[in-house]
Each structure stands twice: as C-alpha cells, then as structure tokens.
Amino acid sequence: MQKIIAYPLSILYLILFGVTLLVFHPIQWICFNWFGYEAHRKSVAILNLCLLRCTHILGTTYSFKNTQTIDTNRPTIFVLNHQSMHDIPPIIWFMRKHHPKFVSKMELGKGIPSVSYNLRHGGSVLINRKDSRQSIMEIAKLGSYIEDTKRAAVIFPEGTRSKTGVPKKFLTTGLKMLMKKAPSALIVPISINNSWKMLKYGKFPYGIGNHITLEVHKPREIEGNIDDLLTEVEQTITQNIT
C-alpha cells in the first residue's frame, strides 16, 4: 500500500523539484553575474532549503544534530558517508555559514538546471572518475581553494552511494590530498542516516515517510599519524550509522 501511495506523491514531488530548479537557475545567474559571490551563495542556500521543503510532499522529515563549535574562520573538510542525492541539500542548508563546496562527478556539471550551474561557478570541483590524475588535480585545487578562502570542502570517501545504508570502505586518496593542500583545516565527520530509503524502490517511486538524520561529530585537527586519524574519522562516522 505504501508503494502505491508513493506513485502520485512522487509525481508531485518531481514536478515541484523540477520547477524549483528551473526558477532558481536564472536567480543564480543574476546573483552571480550582477551581485557576486555572496549573493550567489545565499541563492544556493535558499535553493537547497526549498529542495528540502519539496521532500515534505513525500513525508520526509529531518533531524540535524550539531553540538560542536566549528570555527568559521578556518578551512573545514566535512567527511560524510553517502546514501543518496538527498544527502546534499541538508548539508548545503544546515552548514551554509561554512560555504560548503563539493567534490562531484563530472556528469553533474552539465544539463541539470541550477545544480550544474552551482557546481561550475560556486567553487566546487568536477572529477572524472575514470581519470585518476584529473580527479586528484581537481581535488588538490579544491584543497588550495579552501585553505585560501577559509571555506569548506565536502567529500564522500566511499566514492559512490550506499544503496542499502551499509557504509562502504572509505577510499582515502582524495581526502589525503585535501588535507595536504589545506593543512590548517579542521576535519569534521558527519553521519547520515536513512537517506538511502528515499530510493529504496529504485529511481521511481520515491520512498515516503522517511526521517533523515544528520549528526555532526567532534572536529579533528590534522596532526599525528594521518592513517590513524582517517581510521578514527571513518569509525566515528560508521559507528553512528544505524
């Protein structure tokens, strides 16, 4: 019965989702080209708040737990598990004061209203997952960018999303490059739960009635044995995935 109900709700959600992207695409362009970075950043934050609100049609609710004090005057590297595309709007909205920039696959850089524009112009980097050299160079560029601007990079070390919520082994090459190029950054682990349930039926219909939770854990300094640090970060994230 739940899946049957999900079909009409998913259609309505997709209509609202598409309209939101179409409306914000010219808004982003105007903000970026007429008023500069700060206006564009705010437009992207509001866009992602609207995308969160669209999921309420599906009965989706969110809990964001952040009891940490994270310095906004230092570069930051947010390290997260990855369950679906629905991981991204909460991070952009709830962590907006840190100016989050993403390591994204190249395919997302074209053809998607609003999303592609932000990835190309907002400070994120696009990687070709079939070209490891290009990927590392782009990630290095992002590391240098956040070191200079005191902004935040967001990376999903699993490399691809978990379709069942069970975390995959972290691939640390890209994360190590970010740390190398942004040595003053704070490492902030974040655990995401239940986002995968939005796609539990596949691409359509969407799962309904889900409660997505995000928990921000204690920041870590880049110091000591890097492999031990990354093992600790991975364990912190995965131990809080239910």
Side-chain angles (χ1 to χ4, degrees), residues 24-32 40 43-44 47 114 117-118:
F24 272 89
H25 191 89
I27 291 174
Q28 278 195 71
W29 187 94
I30 291 169
C31 288
F32 181 79
H40 179 240
S43 73
V44 171
L47 160 65
S114 286
Y117 188 89
N118 180 47

Side-chain angles (χ1 to χ4, degrees), residues 8 12 24 29 51 60 76 88 90 95 128 134 143 190-191 206 226:
L12 180 56
F24 272 89
W29 187 94
L51 294 179
T60 306
T76 309
I88 295 169
M95 306 304 286
N128 182 351
Q134 183 270 352
I190 301 177
S191 298
Y206 286 90
I226 296 301

Side-chain angles (χ1 to χ4, degrees), residues 118-137:
N118 180 47
L119 289 175
R120 293 197 312 272
H121 299 284
S124 297
V125 295
L126 297 164
I127 63 171
N128 182 351
R129 292 188 293 183
K130 297 179 181 179
D131 186 340
S132 58
R133 184 172 181 272
Q134 183 270 352
S135 298
I136 289 299
M137 289 178 63

Side-chain angles (χ1 to χ4, degrees), residues 66-111:
N66 181 13
T67 60
Q68 312 301 326
T69 300
I70 305 171
D71 191 347
T72 56
N73 292 315
R74 290 182 60 178
T76 309
I77 301 172
F78 294 125
V79 185
L80 304 88
N81 61 303
H82 192 23
Q83 296 189 348
S84 79
M85 66 177 185
H86 299 281
D87 302 336
I88 295 169
I91 292 298
I92 295 177
W93 174 248
F94 289 116
M95 306 304 286
R96 60 192 181 278
K97 66 180 180 180
H98 298 283
H99 304 229
K101 314 301 177 186
F102 288 79
V103 178
S104 298
K105 59 184 181 181
M106 186 170 287
E107 293 83 352
L108 297 178
K110 56 184 179 180

